[in-house]
Amino acid sequence: RLFSVKDREMPDYTLLNRLFHYYKREEHEVAGKSRIIFNVNYRSVKEIIDFVSVNFYVGEVDIIKASGDVPRHPTFYPLMFCHVPGKASFNSSNLSWYNEFEVLQVVEKVDSVVKSWPVEWGTLEPKEICVVSAETYQIQCLRQKLRSSRLTSVTVENVFNIQGKQFRVIIISTVHTCESC
């Protein structure tokens, strides 16, 4: 009963997604109560797993267990949010949004991580730092600014290109602010 879909529809119809919707429609009592929840993560620190568990799953800590021995940064909390007072602008030639102030803030954060790379993490590998955004022009601006700051080996990718990859540090550039919505 599972079905194949066209390539452009693939992100909406992963096997896990199809199985979830298939069992959700079933009349059987067990299928109706079933949920697919990953409950063990070995690649992230406990604080990030707890945040995801509480805010995106069932609202309880320890639903997903952090089972890996992933050392945290000795100074920075594993999950940080930064307010950037910039404004999103539209680049009509790229048909994409960007935020100049956020680009500067991201480069500053990357530089801070590089300068405070802990010995617990081993030798500094800038490619283990990933800056991710959904906006194409923001990605171009970030790459250019990181290049000019001599941080060329830092990974800068679109959100769709990092699925399944692993990084020590991920910095998310949202581009939009409450002022731009």
Side-chain angles (χ1 to χ4, degrees):
R1 291 206 196 182
L2 294 177
F3 56 92
S4 296
V5 295
K6 296 180 170 102
D7 286 344
R8 69 178 180 278
E9 297 172 331
M10 288 301 282
D12 296 328
Y13 294 100
T14 63
L15 177 59
L16 184 62
N17 192 318
R18 288 181 280 163
L19 285 169
F20 174 78
H21 288 291
Y22 173 76
Y23 285 115
K24 194 173 176 184
R25 287 188 306 267
E26 285 294 298
E27 300 289 327
H28 192 273
E29 180 184 345
V30 174
K33 293 179 181 177
S34 297
R35 296 291 178 262
I36 300 170
I37 296 178
F38 295 110
N39 61 359
V40 177
N41 183 298
Y42 60 92
R43 300 189 310 176
S44 296
V45 293
K46 181 178 181 349
E47 293 84 353
I48 291 176
I49 300 305
D50 288 348
F51 177 83
V52 169
S53 184
V54 169
N55 292 287
F56 300 107
Y57 282 89
V58 291
E60 296 177 28
V61 177
D62 290 335
I63 293 300
I64 304 171
K65 305 280 188 235
S67 67
D69 187 22
V70 181
R72 3 174 336 181
H73 193 284
T75 309
F76 299 138
Y77 189 74
L79 189 62
M80 300 186 314
F81 297 90
C82 301
H83 169 71
V84 180
K87 180 180 160 226
S89 303
F90 188 72
N91 180 297
S92 57
S93 63
N94 286 43
L95 302 176
S96 180
W97 292 90
Y98 67 102
N99 183 326
E100 292 178 46
F101 287 102
E102 192 172 285
V103 169
L104 297 173
Q105 182 73 39
V106 166
V107 172
E108 184 179 305
K109 292 298 177 193
V110 168
D111 189 52
S112 176
V113 168
V114 167
K115 288 178 178 171
S116 66
W117 194 266
V119 291
E120 296 91 337
W121 288 359
T123 306
L124 169 64
E125 292 287 340
K127 67 181 179 198
E128 289 188 36
I129 302 169
C130 179
V131 179
V132 63
S133 181
E135 296 291 344
T136 306
Y137 193 64
Q138 182 80 350
I139 292 167
Q140 290 176 10
C141 293
L142 285 162
R143 285 180 178 152
Q144 182 179 6
K145 189 67 178 168
L146 285 164
R147 209 175 301 124
S148 69
S149 299
R150 299 184 185 271
L151 296 166
T152 56
S153 297
V154 172
T155 304
V156 182
E157 286 290 348
N158 183 295
V159 292
F160 301 111
N161 293 343
I162 66 163
Q163 292 179 18
K165 296 180 182 176
Q166 184 172 322
F167 300 96
R168 176 68 68 181
V169 176
I170 296 178
I171 298 172
I172 302 169
S173 176
T174 60
V175 179
H176 295 281
T177 66
C178 57
E179 288 86 18
S180 67
C181 295

Coordinates of all heavy atoms in Angstrom, one line a residue, residues 55-94:
N55 N 10.4 20.4 23.1 CA 9.8 21.3 22.2 C 9.2 20.8 20.9 O 8.3 21.4 20.3 CB 10.7 22.5 21.9 CG 11.0 23.3 23.2 OD1 10.2 24.1 23.6 ND2 12.2 23.1 23.8
F56 N 9.7 19.6 20.5 CA 9.2 19.1 19.2 C 8.6 17.7 19.3 O 8.0 17.3 18.3 CB 10.4 19.1 18.2 CG 11.0 20.5 18.0 CD1 12.2 20.8 18.5 CD2 10.3 21.4 17.3 CE1 12.7 22.1 18.3 CE2 10.8 22.7 17.0 CZ 12.0 23.0 17.5
Y57 N 8.7 17.1 20.4 CA 8.1 15.7 20.5 C 6.9 15.8 21.5 O 5.9 16.4 21.2 CB 9.1 14.7 20.8 CG 9.9 14.3 19.6 CD1 11.1 15.0 19.3 CD2 9.5 13.3 18.8 CE1 11.8 14.6 18.2 CE2 10.2 12.9 17.6 CZ 11.4 13.6 17.3 OH 12.1 13.3 16.2
V58 N 7.1 15.2 22.6 CA 6.0 15.0 23.5 C 6.0 15.9 24.7 O 5.2 15.7 25.6 CB 5.8 13.5 23.9 CG1 5.4 12.7 22.8 CG2 7.1 13.0 24.5
G59 N 6.9 16.9 24.8 CA 6.9 17.8 25.9 C 7.5 17.3 27.2 O 7.2 17.9 28.2
E60 N 8.2 16.3 27.1 CA 8.8 15.8 28.3 C 10.3 15.6 28.1 O 10.8 15.2 27.1 CB 8.2 14.4 28.7 CG 6.8 14.5 29.1 CD 6.2 13.1 29.4 OE1 6.9 12.3 29.9 OE2 5.0 13.0 29.2
V61 N 11.1 15.8 29.2 CA 12.5 15.6 29.2 C 12.8 14.1 29.2 O 11.9 13.3 29.8 CB 13.2 16.3 30.3 CG1 14.7 16.0 30.4 CG2 13.0 17.8 30.2
D62 N 13.8 13.6 28.7 CA 14.2 12.2 28.7 C 13.4 11.2 27.9 O 13.5 10.0 28.1 CB 14.3 11.7 30.2 CG 15.5 12.3 30.9 OD1 16.5 12.7 30.2 OD2 15.5 12.4 32.1
I63 N 12.5 11.8 27.0 CA 11.8 10.9 26.1 C 12.9 10.4 25.1 O 12.8 9.2 24.7 CB 10.7 11.6 25.3 CG1 9.6 12.0 26.3 CG2 10.1 10.8 24.2 CD1 9.0 10.8 27.0
I64 N 13.7 11.2 24.6 CA 14.9 10.8 23.8 C 16.1 10.8 24.6 O 16.4 11.8 25.3 CB 15.0 11.8 22.6 CG1 13.8 12.0 21.8 CG2 16.2 11.3 21.7 CD1 13.8 13.1 20.8
K65 N 16.8 9.7 24.6 CA 18.0 9.6 25.5 C 19.3 10.0 24.6 O 19.4 9.6 23.5 CB 18.2 8.2 25.9 CG 17.0 7.6 26.7 CD 17.0 8.1 28.1 CE 15.9 7.4 28.9 NZ 14.9 8.3 29.5
A66 N 20.1 10.8 25.3 CA 21.4 11.1 24.7 C 22.4 10.0 25.1 O 22.8 10.0 26.3 CB 21.9 12.5 25.1
S67 N 22.7 9.1 24.3 CA 23.5 7.9 24.7 C 25.0 8.0 24.3 O 25.8 7.2 24.7 CB 22.9 6.6 24.2 OG 23.0 6.6 22.8
G68 N 25.3 9.0 23.5 CA 26.7 9.2 23.0 C 27.5 9.9 24.1 O 27.0 10.6 25.0
D69 N 28.8 9.7 24.0 CA 29.7 10.4 24.9 C 30.2 11.6 24.2 O 31.4 11.7 23.8 CB 30.8 9.5 25.3 CG 31.7 10.1 26.4 OD1 31.3 11.0 27.1 OD2 32.9 9.7 26.5
V70 N 29.4 12.6 23.9 CA 29.7 13.8 23.2 C 30.1 14.9 24.1 O 29.3 15.4 24.9 CB 28.6 14.2 22.3 CG1 28.9 15.5 21.5 CG2 28.1 13.1 21.4
P71 N 31.4 15.3 24.1 CA 31.8 16.4 25.1 C 31.2 17.7 24.7 O 31.2 18.1 23.5 CB 33.3 16.3 25.0 CG 33.6 15.8 23.7 CD 32.5 14.9 23.3
R72 N 30.7 18.5 25.7 CA 30.2 19.8 25.4 C 31.4 20.8 25.4 O 32.5 20.5 25.9 CB 29.2 20.3 26.4 CG 28.8 19.6 27.5 CD 27.8 20.3 28.5 NE 27.9 21.8 28.5 CZ 27.1 22.5 29.3 NH1 26.3 22.0 30.1 NH2 27.2 23.8 29.2
H73 N 31.1 22.0 24.9 CA 32.1 23.1 25.0 C 32.2 23.5 26.4 O 31.2 23.6 27.1 CB 31.6 24.2 24.1 CG 32.7 25.2 23.8 ND1 33.1 26.2 24.8 CD2 33.4 25.5 22.8 CE1 34.0 26.9 24.3 NE2 34.3 26.5 23.1
P74 N 33.4 23.7 27.0 CA 33.5 24.0 28.4 C 33.0 25.4 28.8 O 32.7 25.7 29.9 CB 35.1 23.9 28.6 CG 35.7 24.0 27.3 CD 34.7 23.5 26.3
T75 N 32.9 26.3 27.8 CA 32.4 27.7 28.1 C 31.0 27.9 27.6 O 30.2 28.5 28.3 CB 33.4 28.7 27.4 OG1 34.7 28.4 27.8 CG2 33.1 30.1 27.9
F76 N 30.8 27.6 26.3 CA 29.5 27.9 25.7 C 28.4 26.8 26.0 O 28.7 25.6 26.0 CB 29.6 28.0 24.2 CG 30.6 29.0 23.7 CD1 31.4 28.8 22.6 CD2 30.6 30.3 24.2 CE1 32.3 29.7 22.2 CE2 31.4 31.3 23.8 CZ 32.3 31.0 22.8
Y77 N 27.2 27.3 26.3 CA 26.1 26.3 26.5 C 25.8 25.7 25.1 O 25.9 26.4 24.1 CB 24.9 27.1 27.0 CG 23.8 26.2 27.5 CD1 23.9 25.4 28.6 CD2 22.7 26.0 26.7 CE1 22.9 24.5 29.0 CE2 21.6 25.1 27.0 CZ 21.8 24.4 28.2 OH 20.8 23.5 28.6
P78 N 25.5 24.4 25.1 CA 25.3 23.8 23.8 C 24.2 24.3 22.8 O 24.3 24.1 21.6 CB 24.9 22.3 24.2 CG 25.4 22.2 25.5 CD 25.4 23.5 26.2
L79 N 23.3 25.1 23.4 CA 22.2 25.6 22.5 C 22.1 27.1 22.9 O 21.6 27.4 24.0 CB 20.9 24.9 22.8 CG 19.7 25.1 21.9 CD1 20.1 24.7 20.5 CD2 18.5 24.3 22.4
M80 N 22.4 28.0 22.0 CA 22.3 29.4 22.2 C 21.6 30.1 21.1 O 21.6 29.7 20.0 CB 23.8 30.0 22.3 CG 24.6 29.4 23.4 SD 26.2 30.2 23.6 CE 26.9 30.4 22.0
F81 N 20.8 31.1 21.5 CA 20.1 32.0 20.5 C 20.6 33.4 20.6 O 20.9 33.9 21.7 CB 18.6 31.9 20.9 CG 18.0 30.6 20.7 CD1 17.9 29.7 21.8 CD2 17.5 30.1 19.5 CE1 17.4 28.4 21.7 CE2 16.9 28.9 19.4 CZ 16.9 28.0 20.5
C82 N 20.8 34.0 19.5 CA 21.3 35.4 19.5 C 20.3 36.3 18.7 O 19.8 35.9 17.6 CB 22.6 35.5 18.7 SG 23.9 34.5 19.5
H83 N 20.0 37.4 19.3 CA 19.1 38.4 18.7 C 20.0 39.3 17.8 O 21.0 39.8 18.3 CB 18.4 39.2 19.7 CG 17.7 40.4 19.1 ND1 16.5 40.2 18.3 CD2 17.9 41.7 19.1 CE1 16.2 41.4 17.8 NE2 17.0 42.3 18.3
V84 N 19.6 39.4 16.6 CA 20.3 40.3 15.6 C 19.3 41.4 15.2 O 18.3 41.0 14.6 CB 20.9 39.5 14.4 CG1 21.6 40.4 13.5 CG2 21.8 38.4 14.9
P85 N 19.6 42.6 15.4 CA 18.7 43.7 15.1 C 18.7 44.1 13.6 O 18.2 45.2 13.3 CB 19.1 44.9 16.0 CG 20.6 44.7 16.1 CD 20.8 43.2 16.2
G86 N 19.1 43.3 12.8 CA 19.2 43.6 11.3 C 17.8 43.5 10.7 O 16.8 43.1 11.3
K87 N 17.8 43.8 9.4 CA 16.6 43.7 8.6 C 16.8 42.9 7.4 O 17.8 43.0 6.7 CB 16.2 45.2 8.2 CG 15.0 45.3 7.4 CD 14.7 46.7 7.1 CE 13.8 46.8 5.9 NZ 14.2 47.7 4.9
A88 N 15.8 42.0 7.1 CA 15.9 41.2 5.9 C 15.7 42.1 4.7 O 14.8 42.9 4.6 CB 15.0 40.1 5.9
S89 N 16.5 41.8 3.6 CA 16.4 42.6 2.4 C 16.2 41.5 1.3 O 16.7 40.4 1.4 CB 17.6 43.4 2.1 OG 17.8 44.3 3.1
F90 N 15.5 41.9 0.2 CA 15.3 41.0 -0.9 C 16.3 41.3 -2.1 O 16.4 42.5 -2.5 CB 13.9 41.1 -1.4 CG 13.5 40.0 -2.4 CD1 13.4 38.7 -2.0 CD2 13.3 40.4 -3.7 CE1 13.0 37.7 -3.0 CE2 13.0 39.4 -4.7 CZ 12.8 38.1 -4.3
N91 N 17.0 40.3 -2.5 CA 17.9 40.5 -3.7 C 17.1 40.0 -4.9 O 16.9 38.8 -5.1 CB 19.1 39.6 -3.5 CG 20.1 39.8 -4.7 OD1 19.7 39.4 -5.8 ND2 21.3 40.3 -4.4
S92 N 16.6 40.9 -5.7 CA 15.8 40.6 -6.9 C 16.5 39.8 -8.0 O 15.8 39.0 -8.7 CB 15.1 41.8 -7.4 OG 16.1 42.8 -7.8
S93 N 17.8 40.0 -8.1 CA 18.5 39.2 -9.1 C 18.6 37.7 -8.7 O 18.7 36.8 -9.6 CB 19.8 39.8 -9.4 OG 20.7 39.8 -8.3
N94 N 18.7 37.4 -7.4 CA 18.8 36.0 -7.0 C 17.5 35.5 -6.5 O 17.4 34.3 -6.1 CB 19.8 35.9 -5.8 CG 21.2 36.0 -6.3 OD1 21.5 36.9 -7.1 ND2 22.1 35.2 -5.8

